[in-house]
Amino acid sequence: MKTLPYARKQEILEMLKENEFVDVDQLSKKFEVSYMTINRDLKELEESGAVSRVYGGVKAAEGTAIPPSVNISQVNVSAGNTDETPYFDLTIEERFKKSLKLKQAIAKKAAQLVADGDVIAMDPSTTVLHMCTFLQDKNITVVTTSLMVALQFSNSKSVQVVMPGGSVRKSSLSIVGPLMEDLLEEMVINKCFLSSHAISFENGLTDHTIEESDAKKKIARRSAKTFVLVDSTKIGNNASFTVCKWPEIAAIITDSKSGLDGEKREHLRKFEEKGVEIIYSMK
């Protein structure tokens, strides 16, 4: 499975902690991407001041220590946040690493629902961001409010990306505000993929910020079907602002039925009784 650009750059920094020099050929083979893609990653790292490009590869910039980071491929999966920082206060990079394997499995299952010719909407959540890895070769149009999602398709020859206008919310690198409605009114979207901080049967999918919930609500309302991607840690929880409730949800994609306690199972059972499909990404 190919690694997302952000994850590749984090792993390159990790490699430079152990090696004075890493060559482009090694990186291209490791990540299964072209030399052009690796050189683009290295250019961005160089512009950030973390590395220096040299003939054939890259090394840590002189006088600059590679900052501490987590090797995404080796992140331990936990049941939830173990620190005291609220999830919604974390940066998108920090959220990307949370419950990593669960998110990747859910994203892969969700991507299987996308067919050539689809016009899909993708929100700024990190769970949905993982879908990009599995959609690179699809002949689709992606409507997104996420700058990160848009960037993942920069090398794809078959994915067309459309972004509505608005203001940039820096913490999530997403577009918010009333301006996006003008473009969305002109779009016919057949599938929408959303995630958020919490979901319960009583309150539906909920978010901690009114800006994010409003943006997600707008793209969901313009879509024929809405798919909600949530790992099991979020089931039965509630945040402050509603994104969508059960009548607007076609399916909920989560990780594993076997890992759910009685309360979480009850929430999903109620969704199922109302005709919402429950899709599990793991056996």
Side-chain angles (χ1 to χ4, degrees):
M1 182 182 70
K2 290 185 178 180
T3 310
L4 291 172
Y6 170 75
R8 282 198 307 269
K9 285 180 277 190
Q10 287 294 314
E11 288 201 47
I12 291 169
L13 294 179
E14 290 290 334
M15 291 170 70
L16 286 172
K17 289 181 180 180
E18 306 294 332
N19 305 277
E20 293 184 4
F21 171 84
V22 180
D23 66 70
V24 172
D25 184 63
Q26 177 186 357
L27 294 173
S28 178
K29 290 177 180 177
K30 174 179 174 62
F31 297 115
E32 299 180 348
V33 296
S34 67
Y35 288 171
M36 184 180 296
T37 298
I38 288 297
N39 279 317
R40 184 181 293 111
D41 291 342
L42 299 183
K43 180 181 179 182
E44 292 174 1
L45 285 171
E46 184 177 47
E47 289 173 349
S48 74
V51 305
S52 293
R53 286 191 293 171
V54 295
Y55 182 77
V58 66
K59 65 179 184 179
E62 290 187 15
T64 304
I66 297 296
S69 61
V70 178
N71 185 335
I72 290 179
S73 66
Q74 298 175 350
V75 171
N76 291 324
V77 177
S78 62
N81 297 328
T82 57
D83 55 37
E84 297 180 356
T85 306
Y87 187 86
F88 55 90
D89 282 344
L90 299 176
T91 65
I92 190 169
E93 292 89 352
E94 291 168 325
R95 287 190 284 119
F96 187 89
K97 303 168 190 174
K98 294 290 184 180
S99 302
L100 183 68
K101 291 183 180 179
L102 300 184
K103 291 179 179 180
Q104 288 175 332
I106 292 167
K108 184 176 182 180
K109 180 65 73 172
Q112 293 171 359
L113 302 173
V114 180
D116 285 340
D118 278 347
V119 178
I120 69 170
M122 300 176 69
D123 79 352
S125 67
T126 53
T127 306
V128 171
L129 178 61
H130 281 287
M131 286 180 65
C132 299
T133 299
F134 309 102
L135 298 175
Q136 294 294 322
D137 298 324
K138 294 282 188 180
N139 185 14
I140 58 175
T141 297
V142 173
V143 182
T144 185
T145 57
S146 169
L147 299 177
M148 289 291 287
V149 167
L151 287 172
Q152 306 315 308
F153 295 114
S154 60
N155 292 326
S156 175
K157 296 180 180 179
S158 59
V159 178
Q160 179 182 355
V161 178
V162 177
M163 294 195 72
S167 302
V168 175
R169 186 168 183 265
K170 294 181 180 179
S171 62
S172 60
L173 295 177
S174 62
I175 306 296
V176 297
L179 294 177
M180 70 172 61
E181 289 185 88
D182 293 338
L183 175 62
L184 290 176
E185 286 181 1
E186 305 297 323
M187 300 295 301
V188 178
I189 303 169
N190 54 315
K191 295 171 185 173
C192 177
F193 297 89
L194 301 177
S195 186
S196 196
H197 303 294
I199 188 170
S200 67
F201 177 75
E202 290 76 16
N203 295 309
L205 186 69
T206 52
D207 201 287
H208 286 295
T209 68
I210 192 169
E211 296 93 348
E212 288 292 344
S213 64
D214 183 61
K216 294 177 183 185
K217 190 178 298 183
K218 287 172 180 173
I219 61 173
R221 285 177 176 173
R222 294 299 304 168
S223 304
K225 287 186 176 181
T226 295
F227 299 89
V228 171
L229 287 62
V230 286
D231 64 70
S232 53
T233 67
K234 300 176 180 179
I235 298 172
N237 298 327
N238 294 287
S240 303
F241 302 97
T242 299
V243 176
C244 56
K245 292 192 173 184
W246 69 260
E248 304 162 83
I249 302 173
I252 295 171
I253 308 170
T254 189
D255 43 271
S256 174
K257 187 174 184 179
S258 61
L260 300 176
D261 61 27
E263 183 180 351
K264 295 179 187 292
R265 286 173 184 264
E266 181 63 15
H267 280 279
L268 294 184
R269 184 190 65 79
K270 289 179 179 179
F271 276 111
E272 281 189 298
E273 286 183 347
K274 294 295 185 180
V276 178
E277 184 181 5
I278 308 299
I279 301 172
Y280 296 97
S281 63
M282 302 177 183
K283 293 183 179 180

